[in-house]
Amino acid sequence: MNTSSDPRAQALRTAPIPQRTAPTVRADAPRATALLWQALMLGVSGDALLRTGIQGPALTAWVAILALAILSLTWQAGRRVPAEAGAWMAAALLFSALTIWRDAEILRGLDAVAAIGALGLAAVALRDERLALWAPRLRDTLWAGAAIVGSTMRGIVPLALRELFTTERGSARSHALRSAFRASLIVASLLIVFGSLLRSADPIFASLVALPDLDFGVVASHLVVAGVFAWIAGGWAYGALVADPAAHRAPDRLPFALGMLDVTTALGTLTALFATFMVAQLGWLFGGERFLRESTGLTAAEYARQGFFQMVAVVALVVPLLLATRAMLRPDASVKRRHTVLSLPIVGLLGAIIVSAALRMRLYVHYYGLTTDRVSTLVFMGWLTFVLVLFAVTVLRDRGRPFVAGSVISGLLTLVGLHVVVPDVVVARVNIERATRAPASRDQALDIRNLTWLSGEAAELAVAATLAPRSTAAGDTVRAEVDAERCAAALTLLSRWGPASRTANERADDGAWRTWNAGESHALRVVSDNAAALRRVQHETCGAAAGAPRSETGSQPQPASATAD
């Protein structure tokens, strides 16, 4: 994005950049000892809260502790917290809390990614609010983000070692405290290592010397987990509050620039390629299955099984490509105009590709049903459509600053919307309705086993489908197939969510609150209420072919293979 007319961009370019070979400490940084104590606290709390899983109430509590720690360090340094940094820390807290709500793995994974991204943007805003989401150039935010990532990877250990073994810094009291801590650490290490070996070597010595009865494996695991969280949190805070932002400034110009010929050949090639592809799509859109058989030898069902995800990848790759080429343009108004003129038809053709992909997905669902991955991909394509429109009305009109912010905020709002809609529930309802419309067709019959492997929010629909009476009009072969599916479904539901399942046993543990989830709790309650009926279905349908009914705590049935992609 070219934003040379932006006064903030001009200020960033004209700001003096000191010549340094390594990051230095900013003048208004918090004290190193305070940062180390906060990192230690975050490490200990991370070990206490997140050992069993990085999700649920424990994750929310740890993110809250992290936010309070960074606020304390900022205020201690006499600095104000930028409004954008506070907003991103609140967003991180929100998305960490969303892991408590839904049981779907894809949503919880996206929640964790969103929370990490929000913390990264908060660190960028704390580092230099001019480089945050509303920075004049995208590269400014990217460079600052890369600096935060680098600081997080380096961790807090270099600062800790420097503080621990520096003898010329601080007052006499702090020097005495550091010396006493070092001496205590050395003595304790020697006593534990060599004392334990000598105690095991001689019983008389063991009767004279008593050491703490410790399980060194457990102690080591706690130290490792606490150390990892202290490393990450301390490095993140160091990059946000201590490292000098002037040491990692984005270059004013990229190493190479695109001229008129480069832009024309690159974007012209994409336009011709996408236009040819869309012309090829017109055949099946208007010619139907007859055209497909004559031109490809495929049925409509076979044709629908391929190409959707590749079209999504094309759209997802072209958007950053257009952004990158815009940023690499030579400072020439005619080159910029050429880029705009050639980008607009590409944006239009990408929209047509999105429509074609959606129609192909509709055809696919008609023949094979819906899955969670396909719902998520359709939502992603809808968000990409918004990004394309935003790109056309901002970047291509030299108003690039709102583009990144609009794209990020719309993506986060889309993720929140998925928690309201719940893709797994949509999948269950669509597939049940699809089977209801054509109950006599085996091609569109309901795959009950796949319903039982959806998230906890869909457990109620899966239980209802499993307990539904089979059709008496069906033949023996069809009834046998339905019985086999109901048998597997009942076993799966009881194994995943039954009163004696591993999940139910884990929920009874004292520390289970750390990873509590509302969707999982809903599934446990639904299956527990219908456990007797599910056992009856298991007894009636499994029969001799399945052997004796298995215990709920036995090996879990594996999910049926998903419909082909």
Side-chain angles (χ1 to χ4, degrees), residues 309-355:
F309 292 100
Q310 289 86 341
M311 288 190 283
V312 175
V314 167
V315 178
L317 290 173
V318 171
V319 173
L321 176 63
L322 292 177
L323 281 172
T325 54
R326 190 76 175 187
M328 291 186 291
L329 295 180
R330 289 178 181 173
D332 187 338
S334 60
V335 177
K336 187 185 298 183
R337 284 195 300 270
R338 177 65 59 86
H339 185 275
T340 300
V341 169
L342 292 178
S343 295
L344 286 174
I346 290 178
V347 170
L349 289 168
L350 287 176
I353 290 176
I354 289 175
V355 173

Side-chain angles (χ1 to χ4, degrees), residues 99-368:
T99 61
I100 306 173
W101 188 9
R102 298 304 187 189
D103 175 56
E105 290 185 7
I106 186 170
L107 291 183
R108 287 190 289 181
L110 291 174
D111 289 338
V113 171
I116 293 171
L119 288 173
L121 288 169
V124 171
L126 286 165
R127 182 184 180 89
D128 188 343
E129 57 183 318
R130 299 177 302 169
L131 306 179
L133 195 61
W134 292 92
R137 300 176 304 183
L138 175 59
R139 80 185 75 155
D140 297 320
T141 305
L142 293 178
W143 251 257
I148 295 296
V149 172
S151 177
T152 303
M153 293 178 65
R154 285 192 298 272
I156 203 65
V157 173
L159 178 63
L161 293 177
R162 186 166 68 245
E163 285 296 310
L164 183 61
F165 293 101
T166 297
T167 58
E168 298 178 357
R169 182 182 302 173
S171 63
R173 180 181 179 183
S174 62
H175 171 64
L177 289 175
R178 282 196 298 271
S179 300
F181 179 76
R182 287 200 306 270
S184 301
L185 184 63
I186 293 171
V187 171
S189 301
L190 294 176
L191 285 177
I192 291 175
V193 173
F194 293 102
S196 60
L197 291 174
L198 292 175
R199 276 173 52 84
S200 61
D202 186 78
I204 299 177
F205 180 77
S207 64
L208 299 175
V209 178
L211 292 176
D213 187 12
L214 300 175
D215 187 333
F216 288 102
V218 174
V219 172
S221 70
H222 282 283
L223 290 176
V224 168
V225 174
V228 167
F229 282 105
W231 179 296
I232 294 173
W236 174 82
Y238 186 90
L241 299 176
V242 178
D244 189 351
H248 294 281
R249 186 65 58 80
D252 184 32
R253 293 185 180 181
L254 296 176
F256 51 89
L258 299 178
M260 186 72 74
L261 179 61
D262 303 318
V263 171
T264 303
T265 53
L267 300 188
T269 300
L270 287 179
T271 302
L273 180 63
F274 294 164
T276 305
F277 178 81
M278 285 311 304
V279 169
Q281 298 297 292
L282 297 177
W284 79 268
L285 287 173
F286 295 100
E289 188 163 1
R290 180 179 178 181
F291 173 83
L292 290 174
R293 286 186 179 276
E294 292 175 354
S295 59
T296 64
L298 299 174
T299 64
E302 292 169 336
Y303 182 76
R305 291 172 60 180
Q306 56 190 11
F308 173 77
F309 292 100
Q310 289 86 341
M311 288 190 283
V312 175
V314 167
V315 178
L317 290 173
V318 171
V319 173
L321 176 63
L322 292 177
L323 281 172
T325 54
R326 190 76 175 187
M328 291 186 291
L329 295 180
R330 289 178 181 173
D332 187 338
S334 60
V335 177
K336 187 185 298 183
R337 284 195 300 270
R338 177 65 59 86
H339 185 275
T340 300
V341 169
L342 292 178
S343 295
L344 286 174
I346 290 178
V347 170
L349 289 168
L350 287 176
I353 290 176
I354 289 175
V355 173
S356 175
L359 291 175
R360 190 175 298 194
M361 176 56 67
R362 181 183 178 186
L363 186 64
Y364 189 98
V365 172
H366 172 74
Y367 286 104
Y368 297 104

Side-chain angles (χ1 to χ4, degrees), residues 33-46:
T33 52
L35 182 60
L36 289 174
W37 279 114
Q38 295 286 8
L40 178 62
M41 177 194 67
L42 288 165
V44 173
S45 60

